[in-house]
């Protein structure tokens, strides 16, 4: 059975040394949060992930959720863990204190999330959906609804869902058929079928608050006619206590490749009472708030599973004895050397480490930008950060989830045949990770969002928020010979990204199909450059000043960053070539020729 | 539920038009095999794959094999299918006629195998193991043993296994502990535990013939002391009829990520009677015969699953309606356009198609070389083909199995969230494909075989058998402007491969760890160039003469080849850069720094 350790040192390093938190130094958000407190929170979260959640991960996968006459039972141990975690506040770190949340910054909450997800992804989905629903309600609902629903959601007594997908429509929400008819008393009657509803029904919370996309009878066609409704499993009485059953039911569970302990439900709304959230026909606007938050969360899921796979593979590589080192026996007293002496095993471990740590730096930095966008006292900085987060959210979601698949697959490979055996736990990481590229907007859709919405926004202004500081960074350090191995590859790959961006922008205007044909390659190129920027910044900071970590830690960072520049970043050359050759051969075949 | 169609047209094209079979024109192997017969065999195999095997694929995955007190039960329908297929001779196409086989060439048998595997990989494992054991027995066993065992194995009445792995040793077979003690009557008593034994126990055949690696008491340490033994489940009496139970038992089944209908057994040998195959202490030699044949078979498994995923995804892309084409509605009468109009879906389909068809050409061509190596009347050609197959077997195994993972994952992606649902069948392809990179020598081991054994063999002679014809092909066609889009990228990537080969050869002599650190990148570069060569040859042949296929078919080949050159082959630039930067950063960290 693969062991699991959280990346606690790396998380402390990123949060307390790597992040430049000066932009929020005046914010009340950080006023009571010194590094000691931060590290204490991380230490506790690490224990919860390793000792409470991870022990339920394999058993949860094997047992799965069960369905019986509309009721859903989560695997053994989930209920106690849910009570333990919500009582300790692990589900509401970033929620506002006025509703009972911890009021902590996103960069801290997201680092905690990474550890909890790595311990047991299925379990954390129940917490994550509630937070997604919380954000939409908090931003768009009336004060009355907020007062009625948010405190119990923040405490975990009630949980939340997002009900978007229908059997015939996933990406294309304009096709939604669920309907909402005003009941004359200020509410609506919601009728329709939804599928793929995570945490749609389960036994962890007393009530479930569904946010449902539906169409009113007179609404315009397509996505412009969609509204968002809050539909509780149990209606509330005048004292906001649970009263009767609403007409919401779970008609079955999906049988999935992974995240088997997460209940993925088919939901039926049969004239259920719902309350409008936000303006009529503006449901997509509120949904995008949830979706953008969820997309960052899904990226972190990819990162978390990549780390879990790395953790398991590393332990195995250090302990499994097989063959002798090519440069002479390293442990002659043993029957064979451990796997970790072998160069091809090293290559895999370094690939896992370089991707994962680079992506974690991206996660910390982007999460901090999210805090700046909400809490910075400089409104221009706030707006810039908002646009930067908008630009990079699709890049983050795709790069980290594709990495989640790749790294968890490498974890299996290091285990050899034993990686294919369920009891060892490695193959579960790949099965669990594979969903991340599909939900909350498939990765292809993210690439179209990047080139179609984010790149052209305000004549490329979003992009400049990323390109200008990166240019300045390269300019500042290009003559530092100690950093040359980082800055030069970064500069070259950045040139490729700039050229590709220009090409995409031009094609986008004249031949959008050409641009869309290479959108996924472009996004990947973008992601590789962002992560190279993270590695170069880490190297530059370590070159200037080393902090509280052991010297070995900093040395390892410099080597791992170098590996990234030498063995992973070169992919930008291939992607650049593929992009600049355009999409003619992509689109040329007739349908009958496939 | 994903649909499945075999690639029957492509297989006919490759076998009857693409392959230059002139080297075997004098061989009795091909004398009775005209194109009509060949195509009739393919048509029948296609029906068996689609109508007999595919209907058992999903149910086999859900039901799996069950274990009860040493007995293993295969899923419902497997027994009937096994009887039907073996009765029709589908399991013994390449076996010698003197033992009851069909005596058909490898290129034909392997094309049939691709279709059968694509229909139901788990099922075909039972047939494949028997063939592997057949080849080792046929080449190394005494006449008496061959007469006793081969006819019933060829007919499928009995089946075979390969028993290599033990709990503490997979790659490192030198650590094997199973022992063999001469019984004084010409046989041995075999004792030991083996794991991961495919088809080790099941209810499909009347007897199971295990080929077991074990060590005699006085044998030298390591792999030089290992011998190969034939150990039947039931011993034979003097009339070669089944008599008593040998002391062989199955102690359990593995719970795996995929190929769940294939029984992966832990086997116990408790003083079981075994017969030496080949010379004492030369077991690895016989094992490598099985392994090399098995490695090509595993490559074909990767190809087959890639095709199955493509077939399912293509059907879905043509029928699932979602969103409108970016260049204006293509099917205004429908609620939305089918997925296939969208450029990012096209990119994925083209990637699947270009990899799969290119790999299939590689498979046909390499399988034909295997026939040349065995049946050509020119002994020099025979030797050259043997060395070429030796060189390319690791490339084939890795390139096609890595592609199997990548393409089956794209199949899920095209299905969106529905790809994650087990009933739809797409996620099974990825789970089934994932084993191929692990067994019969993990992919990392193949890369070491390529750079450590095959590349330096006879001062690079094996390599020249591939490089020289490729150079000549480029030289012959470099001025043909109609082929420029194929020949130029091929030539550039070939230069990269030559430079990388030189680098690897030099490093291999002075610093083997450096070479081994980038061996997997080098193998991938090699594979990309081989497949580019296949595509360029297809383009060149189509440019010269078109045969019996529809014009649309040839046009599609040219476009698909172009896509390969433009969007997949550029990966050679990245791999080349990664290789030439060497392995310093791969090996630099201390174990404690991971």
């Amino acid at each position: 059975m693969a062991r699991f350790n959280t990346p606690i040192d790396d998380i402390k390093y990123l949060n307390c040394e790597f992040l430049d938190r000066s932009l929020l130094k005046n914010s009340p958000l950080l006023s009571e949060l010194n590094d000691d407190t931060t590290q204490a929170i991380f230490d506790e979260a690490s224990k919860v992930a390793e000792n409470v959640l991870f022990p339920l991960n394999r058993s949860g996968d094997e047992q799965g959720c069960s369905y019986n006459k509309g009721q859903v039972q989560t695997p053994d141990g989930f209920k106690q863990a849910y009570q333990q975690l919500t009582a300790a506040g692990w589900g509401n770190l970033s929620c506002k204190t006025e509703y009972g949340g911890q009021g902590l910054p996103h960069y801290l909450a997201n680092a905690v999330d990474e550890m909890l997800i790595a311990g047991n992804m299925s379990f954390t989905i129940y917490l994550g959906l509630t937070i997604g629903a919380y954000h939409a309600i908090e931003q768009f609902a009336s004060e009355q609804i907020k007062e009625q629903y948010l405190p119990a959601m923040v405490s975990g007594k009630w949980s939340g869902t997002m009900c978007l997908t229908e059997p015939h429509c996933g990406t294309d929400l304009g096709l939604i058929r669920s309907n909402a008819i005003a009941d004359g008393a200020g509410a609506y009657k919601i009728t329709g079928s939804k599928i793929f509803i995570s945490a749609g029904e389960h036994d962890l919370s007393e009530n479930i608050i569904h946010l449902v996309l539906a169409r009113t009878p007179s609404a315009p066609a397509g996505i412009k006619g969609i509204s968002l409704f809050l539909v509780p499993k149990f209606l509330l009485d005048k004292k906001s206590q649970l009263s009767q059953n609403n007409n919401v039911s779970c008609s079955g569970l999906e049988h999935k490749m992974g995240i088997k302990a997460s209940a993925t439900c088919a939901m039926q709304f049969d004239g259920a009472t719902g309350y409008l959230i936000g303006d009529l026909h503006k449901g997509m606007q509120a949904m995008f708030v949830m979706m953008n938050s969820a997309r960052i969360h899904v990226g972190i899921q990819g990162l978390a599973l990549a780390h879990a796979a790395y953790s398991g593979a590393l332990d195995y590589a250090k302990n499994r004895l097989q063959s002798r080192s090519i440069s002479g026996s390293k442990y002659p007293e043993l029957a064979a050397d451990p796997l970790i002496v072998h160069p091809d095993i090293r290559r895999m471990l370094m690939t896992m480490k370089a991707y994962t740590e680079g992506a974690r730096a991206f996660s910390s930095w982007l999460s901090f930008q999210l805090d700046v966008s909400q809490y910075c006292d400089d409104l221009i900085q706030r707006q810039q950060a908002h646009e930067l987060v908008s630009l990079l959210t699709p890049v983050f979601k795709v790069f980290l989830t594709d990495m989640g698949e790749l790294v968890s697959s490498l974890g299996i490979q290091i285990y050899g045949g034993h990686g294919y055996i369920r009891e060892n736990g490695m193959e579960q990481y790949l099965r669990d990770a594979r969903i991340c590229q599909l939900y909350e907007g498939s990765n292809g859709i993210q690439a179209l969002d990047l080139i179609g919405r984010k790149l052209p926004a305000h004549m490329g202004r979003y992009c400049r928020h990323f390109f200008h500081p990166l240019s300045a960074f390269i300019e500042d350090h290009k003559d530092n010979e100690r950093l040359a191995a980082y800055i030069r590859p970064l500069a070259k790959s950045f040139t490729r990204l700039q050229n590709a961006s220009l090409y995409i922008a031009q094609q986008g205007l004249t031949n959008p199909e050409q641009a869309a044909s290479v959108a996924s390659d472009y996004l990947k190129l973008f992601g590789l450059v962002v992560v190279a920027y993270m590695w170069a910044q880490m190297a530059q900071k370590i070159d200037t000043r080393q902090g509280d970590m052991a010297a070995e830690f900093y040395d390892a960072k410099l080597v791992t960053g170098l590996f990234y520049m030498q063995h992973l970043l070169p992919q930008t050359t291939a992607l650049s070539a593929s992009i600049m050759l355009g999409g003619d051969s992509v689109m040329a075949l007739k349908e009958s020729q496939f």
Side-chain angles (χ1 to χ4, degrees), chain A:
Chain A
M1 174 66 195
R3 290 199 194 174
F4 169 66
N5 294 297
T6 64
I8 181 76
D9 286 349
D10 203 36
I11 283 177
K12 288 180 180 175
Y13 157 75
L14 288 172
N15 281 273
C16 300
E17 297 188 19
F18 174 69
L19 278 188
D20 171 8
R21 288 166 292 178
S22 58
L23 275 178
L24 288 187
K25 65 178 186 295
N26 301 325
S27 165
L29 187 72
L30 301 194
S31 60
E32 289 178 24
L33 193 66
N34 60 33
D35 284 352
D36 287 346
T37 315
T38 300
Q39 299 201 4
I41 293 171
F42 289 148
D43 285 331
E44 278 309 304
S46 176
K47 284 185 206 157
V48 169
E50 291 178 0
N51 304 329
V52 180
L53 297 186
F54 183 66
L56 302 175
N57 193 44
R58 278 298 306 130
S59 56
D61 180 69
E62 289 297 328
Q63 194 182 353
C65 291
S66 56
Y67 175 86
N68 185 21
K69 295 180 189 158
Q71 307 289 307
V72 172
Q73 198 179 339
T74 55
D76 295 345
F78 271 48
K79 214 163 170 171
Q80 296 91 311
Y82 183 83
Q83 280 163 1
Q84 187 178 341
L85 265 78
T86 51
W90 292 115
N92 60 28
L93 297 180
S94 65
C95 298
K96 289 190 173 171
T97 50
E98 62 191 284
Y99 301 113
Q102 318 282 315
L104 289 167
H106 291 290
Y107 72 84
L108 189 153
N110 285 350
V112 167
D113 268 355
E114 186 204 329
M115 291 194 273
L116 303 183
I117 296 164
N120 191 327
M121 168 149 157
S122 283
F123 179 89
T124 57
I125 288 173
Y126 296 98
L127 302 176
L129 265 295
T130 305
I131 295 301
Y134 162 89
H135 285 301
I137 296 170
E138 201 273 321
Q139 193 165 342
F140 291 98
S142 66
E143 284 308 315
Q144 189 196 350
I145 283 188
K146 288 201 252 185
E147 279 167 29
Q148 277 182 309
Y149 289 91
L150 290 185
M153 291 177 73
V154 168
S155 75
K157 203 166 127 188
W158 301 350
S159 61
T161 78
M162 302 200 283
C163 300
L164 292 74
T165 305
E166 300 184 3
H168 61 290
C169 67
T171 295
D172 190 357
L173 292 172
L175 300 175
I176 277 178
R177 292 182 195 145
S178 291
N179 66 70
I181 296 171
D183 70 355
Y188 290 80
K189 293 294 177 195
I190 313 288
T191 300
S193 299
K194 297 284 180 178
I195 61 167
F196 299 168
I197 308 308
S198 295
E201 176 58 39
H202 56 80
D203 55 4
L204 300 178
S205 63
E206 295 173 15
N207 199 4
I208 300 177
I209 312 306
H210 304 285
L211 293 188
V212 183
L213 289 185
R215 186 186 296 286
T216 48
S218 58
I223 58 166
K224 288 177 186 163
I226 290 172
S227 306
L228 182 66
F229 300 90
L230 183 154
V231 185
K233 176 180 173 184
F234 293 107
L235 293 168
L236 307 188
D237 64 17
K238 289 186 179 162
K239 291 176 184 164
S240 288
Q241 299 301 304
L242 301 186
S243 68
Q244 90 231 46
N245 221 316
N246 203 352
N247 292 318
V248 180
S249 60
C250 171
S251 53
L253 290 177
E254 301 291 350
H255 307 109
K256 308 186 300 294
M257 180 184 202
I259 53 167
K260 292 187 182 187
S262 166
T264 304
C265 304
M267 300 298 297
Q268 196 63 38
F269 298 86
D270 298 303
T273 300
Y275 310 100
L276 185 68
I277 301 290
D279 295 335
L280 198 66
H281 308 160
K282 301 282 187 201
M284 291 305 289
Q285 194 186 338
M287 217 63 207
F288 268 116
V289 167
M290 283 172 80
M291 289 287 276
N292 279 330
S293 151
R295 283 169 180 180
I296 291 177
H297 186 76
V298 171
I300 294 170
Q301 290 179 333
L303 167 61
L305 290 166
H307 171 76
Y310 174 68
S311 174
L314 177 60
D315 175 65
Y316 193 73
K318 287 183 174 179
N319 291 297
R320 169 80 171 175
L321 306 179
Q322 206 74 175
S323 304
R324 289 296 179 191
S325 164
I326 200 169
S327 62
S329 177
K330 294 286 182 288
Y331 295 83
E333 73 283 10
L334 301 176
D337 286 337
L339 291 181
I340 198 168
V341 308
H342 302 306
D344 195 65
I345 297 285
R346 287 264 177 163
R347 171 192 64 83
M348 291 191 274
L349 284 173
M350 289 301 296
T351 302
M352 297 170 86
K353 185 173 170 68
Y355 268 133
T356 307
E357 293 183 11
R360 185 174 296 121
F362 185 8
S363 178
S364 283
W365 176 77
L366 188 68
S367 300
F368 182 76
Q369 298 300 328
L370 194 58
D371 289 315
V372 173
S373 77
Q374 291 174 6
Y375 304 111
C376 186
D377 50 8
D378 179 334
L379 291 187
I380 292 174
Q381 292 282 1
R382 196 188 275 211
Q383 177 66 17
Q384 279 194 9
H386 171 74
E387 293 175 0
L388 186 61
V389 172
S390 295
L391 173 74
L392 293 177
T393 294
V395 177
F396 185 80
K397 195 268 184 183
V398 176
F399 193 81
L400 272 68
T401 59
D402 282 353
M403 181 200 78
E405 179 183 18
L406 187 147
V407 170
S408 58
S409 186
L410 286 174
I412 295 175
Q413 197 66 23
I414 287 176
Y415 259 71
H418 297 273
Y420 204 64
I421 305 302
R422 293 211 303 271
E423 283 84 344
N424 290 328
M426 298 302 289
E427 58 86 44
Q428 184 188 343
Y429 294 136
L430 176 55
R431 288 188 289 104
D432 286 355
R434 192 62 190 78
I435 188 61
C436 301
Q437 296 153 296
L438 301 168
Y439 63 11
E440 308 307 344
S442 75
N443 283 7
I445 290 296
Q446 306 294 326
L448 296 180
D449 178 50
L450 176 65
I451 68 155
R453 293 200 196 99
K454 306 301 171 59
L455 202 59
H458 297 285
M459 303 289 285
R461 190 172 80 202
Y462 289 16
C463 232
R464 288 192 292 277
H465 297 322
F466 178 70
F467 283 9
H468 286 182
L470 173 49
S471 285
F473 176 82
I474 292 170
E475 189 58 31
D476 285 350
H477 302 290
K478 73 175 166 23
D479 299 325
N480 182 341
E481 274 306 311
R482 290 189 313 280
L483 294 178
Y486 306 91
I487 302 296
R488 281 180 202 157
L490 172 65
K492 281 188 195 165
S493 68
F494 180 42
T495 301
R496 288 180 199 116
L497 176 62
Q498 288 173 301
N499 291 338
S501 301
L502 202 61
Y503 175 84
I504 293 273
Q506 286 164 345
Q507 293 294 322
L509 292 174
T510 56
N511 189 348
E513 276 191 346
Q514 284 275 348
S517 297
V518 291
S520 284
D521 281 348
Y522 174 72
L523 186 149
K524 190 170 182 190
L525 169 59
F526 210 129
L528 283 161
V529 173
V530 175
V531 173
Y533 182 31
M534 297 300 129
W535 274 116
Q537 287 183 84
M538 286 191 272
Q540 185 269 323
K541 288 183 187 204
I542 290 169
D543 180 62
T544 309
R545 192 186 75 82
Q546 302 196 357
D548 294 335
M549 313 300 293
E552 263 201 351
F553 180 91
Y554 296 109
D555 288 348
K557 276 276 175 238
L558 293 176
V559 169
T560 308
L562 191 61
F563 177 89
Y564 182 87
M565 299 296 173
Q566 292 182 336
H567 297 287
L568 303 179
L569 190 60
Q571 293 171 86
T572 53
T573 60
L575 293 163
S576 167
S578 172
I579 293 163
M580 305 306 256
L581 285 164
D584 283 344
S585 60
V586 180
M587 300 304 294
L589 291 189
K590 288 186 280 187
E591 289 176 26
S592 58
Q593 287 181 296
F594 279 94

